[in-house]
Structures are given as structure tokens and as C-alpha cells.
Amino acid sequence: MIEAFRRLPGIGPKSAQRLAYHLVRMPETEAEELAEAITGVKQRIKLCQTCADITEQPTCHICQDLNRDRRTICVVEEPLDVTALERTRAYNGLYHVLHGAISPTSGISASDLKMKELLERLQDEDVGEVIVATNTNLDGEATAMYLQRAISPAGIKVTRLARGLPSGTDIEYADDATLAHSLESRSEIND
Amino acid sequence: MIEAFRRLPGIGPKSAQRLAYHLVRMPETEAEELAEAITGVKQRIKLCQTCADITEQPTCHICQDLNRDRRTICVVEEPLDVTALERTRAYNGLYHVLHGAISPTSGISASDLKMKELLERLQDEDVGEVIVATNTNLDGEATAMYLQRAISPAGIKVTRLARGLPSGTDIEYADDATLAHSLESRSEIND
């Protein structure tokens, strides 16, 4: 059991031990409820057949929502990125979840991701813009480049989330790469 | 002595006590060296008569450097912001240090800063662009707005460091304001 817990994200050997000992002392009914919750989730949760986000229906609630702008697709790495973007209430288009990023160093290529599904979607649906919202690290950059090269020849605009200084930053504490980029991408202030 | 240490930035009551007890046990020569270093710095350090950065000369080494682009001035809040921007090696213009930011909540106005000195400099020197590099918080924004309104009527371009997602960010952990801004300011990816 300790080994099983250790494979979970954010749980080290000590936390795994604590969790295991806690379960040993737990009333049997509670432990069964937890086990059933885990099995139940695994059985109920599927990937949306359109955007590959996690859902309990064949199609997720965002893809089903007719009030959303169906001509814009935001491509993210993970389902939790959809949650983060939805929390801002600043986006009203659809999503596509890749379930990872292209990573030359870890040997993850486009064929390991939901990339084929995205390109098929772009052929079938009338999409005007693909917003790339991959992480701003090397793998996220590689994925953004791949998407741009695969999609823009079809005449679809490919954009990327702005990079620069985050809100509430002291210039003094900004990292060099971010500061250099924000200098390079500076823009005119208008009234 | 504990009280004197407590007034320094980043030093709480416990650190102040530890520092004070350490000084009590210090050899007298060492303690005198430290005291002289502090007094010496206060006597030698002045503000550059051009940009108000701290320096030991009447004019700082950046303002004296003839290889720098004298038509671009980057306006920062504090001397440490100059250090941060210099570290990136991405900027080759001059600076102007305001020694603070306009803060309606703390009652700090333009006349409490080196703002008059900046506006006089812009009249005397041939400047094409002022880059506002104030912090990305409310006071920094207020200062940027003030600078834009005071400077752009003179026909000088006023720009601001790009805001958005910093390098190495997971979308999942980005704060809502930054994420919403980076969506709004997204830009097309080009080859």
C-alpha cells in the first residue's frame, strides 16, 4: 500500500507511510467508501469525444454549451489547465486537451498526444483561431512550434498567450529570461 | 541596538536579537570595521546627478558610458531595478530612478519622486523613447499612467514592459489576473 501511495504526485515516502498507517486505523466502512470512490471515478470518468477533457458524459459540458464561440479552440496540455482558464472567466471558446506536451528529451512525440484528434477536428469544424496555451517551458515551446507549423498552412490563425511580467511583480525579483523577454516585447502605452 | 536592526528590511524581532547578540560577542576590531563600513557608505554614496541611481561619482558609470543608446531612457522605481535590468544584458539605453512610485493609498505623489528631474531631462536631451519599467502592481500602474500623460504630449514614445506569463510557468498554477491578461494580449505565432 505504501508503494501504491508513493506513485501518486506530491506524495513522498514519509507521506505515503502516514497515509498507509492512517488507513490501517480507519473504520472498515470508511476505508471501503474511499476504495469505492476511487474505483467509481475510474469507471465513470471518460475523455470527451470532441476535446478530450475529462467528463462523465460522452461530450463534456463545454463542448455541449451552445453559447460558446465554436470558431475558437484553446489548446492546453492537461485537464487542470482548462479549469485554470475557466476560472478567469475571460475565455468563451472551446478547448482541446493534448494530455501532455511534445518533449524531445523525454521521447514524447505528437503521436503520443491527442494531436491527430485536434487536426481532424480542424478539418471538420469551422475554426478561425487556435490559441496555444501550453506551458512556457521548453516542452511547451516545442509543442507551440509544432502546432503553428501543422495548423497555419490550413489558413487558421495560430496565437499564443502573451508572455511577460505577471501581475504584482517587483522588477527587482523578476527572473532574467522573463525580464529580457518583457523588454523585447514592450508595447506603447495608449490612453 | 535591537530596535535599530528591526528597522532594517527583512529583519524581524528574532533576527534583530540574534544580530545584536552576535555583535556583543564580536571582537572589538571587527565591530569597528562594520560600523566604519556603514558610515563610509553613507558618506560616499550619492545619487547620480543625471539619472538618480546610486553612485560614488557625481555621474554614474551608465550615464558616463558613451557606448549606450542615449535616445532611450528606462524609468524604474528603485536602484535595485537597474541592477535587475542590467543583469539581463538585454538593454543598452540609459535609466532614470524615481525612488518610489505614485501611490494614492499611501499619499505619495509625483512631487515626492524624482519626476521633475526626469521631465527636465526630457526637455534637455534628445530622447526618442521612454520605457516604463515600474512594478506591475497598483502603484506601478498609477505611475505608468502618470508618465504616459506627462511625456507623450511632447511627442516622445512611451512604452511599457510586456505583461503576461513568465518563463517556466505551468498554466495550471498561473494566477487568474495574469492568465486573463495573457489571453487578452495573445499574439499570432510566426515562423
Side-chain angles (χ1 to χ4, degrees):
Chain A
M1 188 155 65
I2 293 173
E3 276 309 306
F5 279 126
R6 275 198 60 177
R7 285 195 290 267
L8 298 175
I11 294 180
K14 285 206 173 166
S15 298
Q17 274 188 10
R18 266 198 303 273
L19 284 167
Y21 285 124
H22 181 82
L23 278 174
V24 168
R25 289 192 307 266
M26 215 184 225
E28 199 165 332
T29 51
E30 257 184 63
E32 265 166 27
E33 271 171 37
L34 180 63
E36 273 165 30
I38 293 171
T39 329
V41 159
K42 286 302 291 177
Q43 282 164 354
R44 278 199 314 279
I45 291 290
K46 311 172 182 57
L47 299 188
C48 169
Q49 58 195 11
T50 306
C51 74
D53 195 6
I54 51 173
T55 174
E56 298 192 10
Q57 260 81 51
T59 300
C60 76
H61 71 281
I62 295 175
C63 285
Q64 278 183 46
D65 184 347
L66 296 176
N67 289 320
R68 297 192 72 120
D69 168 18
R70 315 194 78 80
R71 285 184 46 79
T72 309
I73 295 181
C74 181
V75 180
V76 298
E77 296 184 17
E78 302 293 346
L80 282 171
D81 300 337
V82 173
T83 315
L85 284 158
E86 285 297 289
R87 212 169 43 217
T88 67
R89 297 165 183 270
Y91 180 65
N92 193 41
L94 304 180
Y95 291 95
H96 192 87
V97 183
L98 293 176
H99 291 271
I102 293 174
S103 174
T105 51
S106 315
I108 298 170
S109 69
S111 59
D112 299 312
L113 309 172
K114 301 286 181 193
M115 190 67 86
K116 190 162 61 70
E117 290 81 349
L118 172 64
L119 299 178
E120 284 170 6
R121 240 181 116 177
L122 295 176
Q123 287 188 327
D124 299 344
E125 299 171 26
D126 180 26
V127 173
E129 180 181 357
V130 169
I131 303 173
V132 180
T134 51
N135 296 337
T136 60
N137 52 24
L138 282 178
D139 294 353
E141 301 287 335
T143 311
M145 287 302 288
Y146 182 94
L147 286 163
Q148 193 264 337
R149 281 175 195 164
I151 296 168
S152 64
I156 299 168
K157 187 159 84 165
V158 182
T159 59
R160 177 124 214 234
L161 298 189
R163 268 144 324 144
L165 298 168
S167 301
T169 301
D170 276 15
I171 302 292
E172 175 188 345
Y173 300 122
D175 68 280
D176 292 5
T178 300
L179 211 46
H181 178 87
S182 71
L183 256 167
E184 197 189 307
S185 306
R186 66 186 182 269
S187 60
E188 202 158 347
I189 313 181
N190 298 307
D191 278 316
Chain B
M1 187 156 64
I2 294 174
E3 276 310 305
F5 278 127
R6 276 197 60 178
R7 285 196 289 268
L8 299 175
I11 292 179
K14 286 205 172 167
S15 298
Q17 276 187 10
R18 266 198 303 273
L19 283 167
Y21 285 124
H22 180 81
L23 278 174
V24 168
R25 287 193 308 266
M26 216 183 223
E28 201 166 328
T29 51
E30 259 183 62
E32 266 165 27
E33 270 170 39
L34 181 62
E36 273 164 32
I38 293 171
T39 329
V41 159
K42 286 303 290 177
Q43 283 164 353
R44 278 198 316 276
I45 290 289
K46 316 170 177 57
L47 299 188
C48 169
Q49 58 195 12
T50 306
C51 74
D53 195 6
I54 50 172
T55 174
E56 298 192 10
Q57 259 80 52
T59 301
C60 75
H61 71 282
I62 295 174
C63 286
Q64 278 184 45
D65 184 347
L66 295 174
N67 289 318
R68 299 192 71 122
D69 168 18
R70 313 193 80 80
R71 284 184 46 80
T72 309
I73 294 180
C74 181
V75 180
V76 299
E77 297 184 16
E78 302 294 347
L80 281 172
D81 300 337
V82 173
T83 315
L85 284 157
E86 284 297 289
R87 212 169 42 215
T88 67
R89 297 165 182 270
Y91 180 65
N92 193 43
L94 304 180
Y95 292 95
H96 192 88
V97 183
L98 293 176
H99 291 271
I102 293 173
S103 174
T105 51
S106 315
I108 297 170
S109 70
S111 58
D112 300 313
L113 309 172
K114 301 285 180 193
M115 190 69 85
K116 189 163 60 71
E117 289 81 350
L118 172 64
L119 300 179
E120 283 170 6
R121 238 182 118 178
L122 295 175
Q123 286 187 329
D124 299 343
E125 299 171 25
D126 179 25
V127 173
E129 180 182 357
V130 169
I131 303 174
V132 180
T134 52
N135 296 337
T136 61
N137 53 23
L138 283 179
D139 294 352
E141 301 287 334
T143 311
M145 289 302 288
Y146 182 94
L147 286 163
Q148 192 265 335
R149 281 174 196 165
I151 296 169
S152 63
I156 298 169
K157 187 158 85 166
V158 182
T159 58
R160 177 127 212 232
L161 298 189
R163 268 149 319 149
L165 298 168
S167 300
T169 301
D170 276 16
I171 301 293
E172 174 188 346
Y173 299 122
D175 68 282
D176 292 6
T178 300
L179 210 45
H181 177 88
S182 71
L183 256 168
E184 197 190 302
S185 305
R186 67 185 180 271
S187 60
E188 201 157 346
I189 314 180
N190 297 307
D191 278 315

